Amino acid sequence: MKKKKDEFYFKNLNTCVEISYQAAEFLKNVVVDFSVDTIKENLDRMHELEQKADGKKHKMMTVLSQAFITPIEREDLVALSNYLDDITDAVEDVFLQIYMCNVDTIREDVPQMVELLLECIKALQDVIGELKRFKSSKTIGQSIIRVNDLEEQGDRLYVENMHRLYGESDLRTVVVWKNIYACIENCMDVCEHAADIVNTVIMKNS
């Protein structure tokens, strides 16, 4: 019975990070083949994914509130669940910025940032997928390092994109894309925070 209950936590976390990946993949498709005519419809579809992620987090919190024993510390499960939900929220924030700011053209450097975000979430999927075997896993450590490396690449890309952006003369362009770049960069930051929680779990139990 305990094994079945423990499986819920890991399955829930895996589903959450899968939703995050789906959201980022959807964002990539939108920015690569951008159309003003479909942005509102796409925003609604993205919100459905965000709501789905919220549902998984709420289920996790409900089960944790009733649990006596958990496979890893309760506070770590709470933090990890929150961060995974935050990734999907952050991806939706990119959509919201594009919509609210009436963006009609996607800048050429945006798809590269989103592609890097996808890689970062994929690496995080590898981390979460090994979480239930963290004591014996031979790959989870490298996957955590991979998330951190990709987040650093994201930081560097963000700096270069901002450097080019501040060379623009149109103030509206600068303000709009400054916020959008920051939202994408924040997505990768949250991925790193989630990976750091897993690293903390490993250290606590080593």
Side-chain angles (χ1 to χ4, degrees), residues 14 20 27 35 43 50 53 57 106 118 131 185 206:
N14 274 286
S20 297
L27 174 62
S35 171
L43 182 61
E50 189 274 333
K57 183 183 77 169
I106 299 296
L118 264 177
L131 181 57
E185 197 267 342
S206 62

Side-chain angles (χ1 to χ4, degrees), residues 27 31 34 39 90-111 113-114 117 154 158 161-162 165-166 172-188:
L27 174 62
V31 298
F34 184 73
I39 187 62
V91 174
E92 185 185 31
D93 284 344
V94 179
F95 261 91
L96 289 170
Q97 287 293 327
I98 291 172
Y99 176 71
M100 289 188 298
C101 296
N102 281 304
V103 168
D104 56 13
T105 304
I106 299 296
R107 288 173 68 87
E108 292 182 359
D109 48 19
V110 172
M113 286 190 79
V114 177
L117 170 61
Y158 171 72
N161 288 350
M162 289 297 293
L165 178 63
Y166 278 118
R172 180 183 181 279
T173 297
V174 173
V175 171
V176 168
W177 286 98
K178 173 179 178 292
N179 292 334
I180 294 173
Y181 288 146
C183 284
I184 300 172
E185 197 267 342
N186 180 56
C187 294
M188 286 182 272

Side-chain angles (χ1 to χ4, degrees), residues 91-145:
V91 174
E92 185 185 31
D93 284 344
V94 179
F95 261 91
L96 289 170
Q97 287 293 327
I98 291 172
Y99 176 71
M100 289 188 298
C101 296
N102 281 304
V103 168
D104 56 13
T105 304
I106 299 296
R107 288 173 68 87
E108 292 182 359
D109 48 19
V110 172
Q112 184 182 4
M113 286 190 79
V114 177
E115 180 62 39
L116 193 60
L117 170 61
L118 264 177
E119 290 184 48
C120 198
I121 298 176
K122 180 63 177 69
L124 184 60
Q125 280 185 299
D126 294 338
V127 172
I128 301 301
E130 287 293 298
L131 181 57
K132 67 180 179 180
R133 295 177 291 274
F134 72 90
K135 291 183 178 180
S136 59
S137 175
K138 299 184 184 302
T139 61
I140 193 168
Q142 287 302 313
S143 295
I144 291 171
I145 293 172

Side-chain angles (χ1 to χ4, degrees), residues 12-30:
N12 182 283
L13 293 172
N14 274 286
T15 301
C16 286
V17 74
E18 172 61 26
I19 294 171
S20 297
Y21 187 85
Q22 291 172 9
E25 192 170 42
F26 185 45
L27 174 62
K28 177 188 173 183
N29 292 337
V30 168

Side-chain angles (χ1 to χ4, degrees), residues 2-17:
K2 182 180 181 297
K3 184 176 181 181
K4 183 177 180 180
K5 288 182 178 179
D6 287 354
E7 187 66 26
F8 161 80
Y9 299 107
F10 301 118
K11 185 177 180 180
N12 182 283
L13 293 172
N14 274 286
T15 301
C16 286
V17 74

